[in-house]
Amino acid sequence: MICRPDRRGRAVLIPLLLLVAACDEQDQAHSALDQSKTAIARGDGVGAEALLHGMLEHNSSVEDVAAYLGEAALLQGDLAKARRWLGPGEFARDTAGLGFLLLGKLELRVGNLPAAGQAFDRALRVTPESPELWVQIGRLRYRGGEHLQAIEAAERATRFGPEDPAALHFRGQLAREAQGHGAALGLFAKALETSPEKVDLLTDLAASLGDAGRANQSLQYIRRIAEISPEAPQIHYLQAVIAARASRNALARTLLQRAGEGEQGRPAALVLSAVLDLEANNYASAAQTLARVHDRQPDNPKVKHLLARALLHSGAEREVIVRFAEEASGPAASPYLKTAVARAYEVLDDREAAAPLLDGATKASRLTLLPLPSATPPEALRAENGQGGHIARDRIRYYLHRGQTSEAVNHAKNFAEAFPGSADARSLLGDTLLVQGDSENAFDAYRSTARVRTSWLLMKRMMAAHLALGNRNRVDALLRDYLLGGSRNAEASVLYSRALAGRG
C-alpha cells in the first residue's frame, strides 16, 4: 500500500511521517530538559542554560523553561539574568511551584524579605508540601528574626521530606547553631547520601569537621569540593584555617591570599589574617586588621583580646589604655584584658595604675556579669522611636547601666512581645530578669534562646542563673553538654575540669 503511487496512499503516508517527526521533537525536548535538570543538580548552570536555550530554539515555550533558566542563572550568580526569567512570574502549570520558589530565593539573595515572602506564598498555593519550599521559608524567617518559627519550618520540611537533602542540610545548620558542631555532623552526612555533589553541603560538612578538630576528614571533603567545583569560594579559606591550626602559617597565608575578595573580607577571615600576622611578628598590621573587626564587633571577647595583644606588641600602649582601661577596671573584665592593660601601664611606668589590675586579674570571677554600656548616645536613644534590634538593645543597656532595672525589664518585655520568635529578644529579656534577681524566669528566657543558638557567653549567663538558684549540679551538666557538642572553648574546659576535680 505505501509503495503505491496513488493519491490515497500518499495522503496516508504524509501524516504518518509528520507524526513521527513530532514525536522525535517531543522526545528531544524531554531529553534536553532531563539533561538540563541533571546539570542543575550538579551545579553546572552554564551547561544547563545552553541546553535550555536549545529547547527554546526548537519551539519550547518560554513558560516551560523560565523556571529552569532562572535556576541556571542563580547557579552562575547572575542575579540580573535570573530576574529576567523569574521576575515576570510566568511559568507553566507544572513548573509554577519551582518558579515562585526560585523567585523567593532571588529576593532573599538581594535582601528584599517582603517580596521573598510574597513569592513563597504563591509557591505554597501550588506545592504546599514541598520540603525545599519550607526550607526557604525557614531561611526567610530566620533572617527576619523569627528564629523559633524558622525551627518550626525546618521541622515541617523534614516531615514532608525525611530524606530530602535540603531539609536535612537546613536542620543541620540550625543544630550547629543551637547544639554545636557534633550535633550537625550526622545530619550533614545523611543529606550527603542522597546529594553527594552538593557543594554548599560539602562546604558546611568540611567546616564543621574542621571546627570539631577533625582536620583530616575535613580535608577529604575539601578535596571533593575542589573536584566538583574548583572555583568554589570557600575552598582556600577552609584550607587556610586547617593549615593555621597545624601551625603551617606560610601555607595558610598563601591559601588565604588565593581566596576571593568576598571571602577575605569576612570577619572570620580578617581575624585569621591578623592571627597569621601576629605569628609572623607583624604586630602593627595585625592591630590594624583587628581594629576594623573590633569596630564591627565590639562585644566579641576573642577579637578584643587579640587586639589588645597586637597593640601591646606593636608599642601602642597608650591606645590599649584608651580603648580598654575603663572596661578592664570593672569586675566583669577578663583576667587577660586586665593583665594587658596593666602591662601597658607598666611600660609607661605607671605602676600605681597597673597594680590593682594585676591584683584583680588573679581574683577575677569567670561568672561575674555586669551590664555593658550602650553604644548609642542617650540623646540619640531619646530621639529614636523605632523598635529595631540595635536600638532596643542599647536602650536596655542604657537603663541597666544607670541602675534603672524596672525600665529595662519593661522595655525588654515589650520587645519580646513584639518579636515573640526572636532569640535576640529572649536573650535581652533574660539579661534584664537576671539583673532584677528573677533568675528562674531569666533561665527560661535563655533556654528559648539556646533552642536557636548557643554561645559561650550565653552559657555563662545560664550558669549564673543556675548558681543564683543554687543549682550547682546543673551548672556542671551545662558545661558537659556544651563541650560534648563539639566546642573547643578553653575557658569552658578549665571550668569543667575544676568541677570534675572538685568531685574527685
Side-chain angles (χ1 to χ4, degrees), residues 453-469:
R453 70 173 71 94
T454 300
S455 66
W456 177 232
L457 293 176
L458 177 64
M459 282 292 104
K460 289 169 78 170
R461 279 137 62 195
M462 294 176 78
M463 289 157 61
H466 272 318
L467 287 175
L469 293 167

Side-chain angles (χ1 to χ4, degrees), residues 310-463:
L311 290 170
L312 272 180
H313 284 287
S314 65
E317 292 84 9
R318 294 185 188 280
E319 187 174 350
V320 172
I321 292 168
V322 169
R323 280 183 176 271
F324 302 121
E326 182 179 356
E327 181 179 348
S329 65
S334 69
Y336 188 95
L337 194 64
K338 287 178 179 291
T339 303
V341 176
R343 297 300 181 217
Y345 278 124
E346 285 182 331
V347 171
L348 297 174
D349 204 27
D350 189 349
R351 297 184 181 278
E352 187 176 346
L357 290 170
L358 290 172
D359 187 49
T362 64
K363 301 174 181 177
S365 168
R366 299 283 187 171
L367 289 178
T368 301
L369 299 173
L370 286 178
L372 291 167
S374 170
T376 305
E379 56 274 12
L381 288 175
R382 286 192 289 270
E384 178 61 61
N385 295 319
Q387 271 285 67
H390 290 296
I391 293 298
R393 178 201 66 190
D394 286 351
R395 185 175 284 120
I396 290 165
R397 284 183 176 182
Y398 170 76
Y399 284 124
L400 287 177
H401 213 60
R402 290 168 57 90
Q404 296 175 267
T405 306
S406 296
E407 288 85 349
V409 171
N410 288 335
H411 276 284
K413 285 182 176 178
N414 291 337
F415 187 53
E417 288 172 2
F419 301 95
S422 168
D424 301 317
R426 301 296 298 173
S427 181
L428 283 171
L429 178 59
D431 290 347
T432 61
L433 293 170
L434 190 62
V435 174
Q436 192 181 49
D438 188 354
S439 301
E440 188 168 352
N441 284 320
F443 184 81
D444 287 342
Y446 291 145
R447 185 163 48 192
S448 293
T449 304
R451 285 190 62 201
V452 177
R453 70 173 71 94
T454 300
S455 66
W456 177 232
L457 293 176
L458 177 64
M459 282 292 104
K460 289 169 78 170
R461 279 137 62 195
M462 294 176 78
M463 289 157 61

Side-chain angles (χ1 to χ4, degrees), residues 470-478 480 503:
N471 299 330
R472 176 73 234 189
N473 289 338
R474 292 189 181 181
V475 170
D476 295 346
L478 274 176
R480 182 192 65 240
R503 296 207 304 265

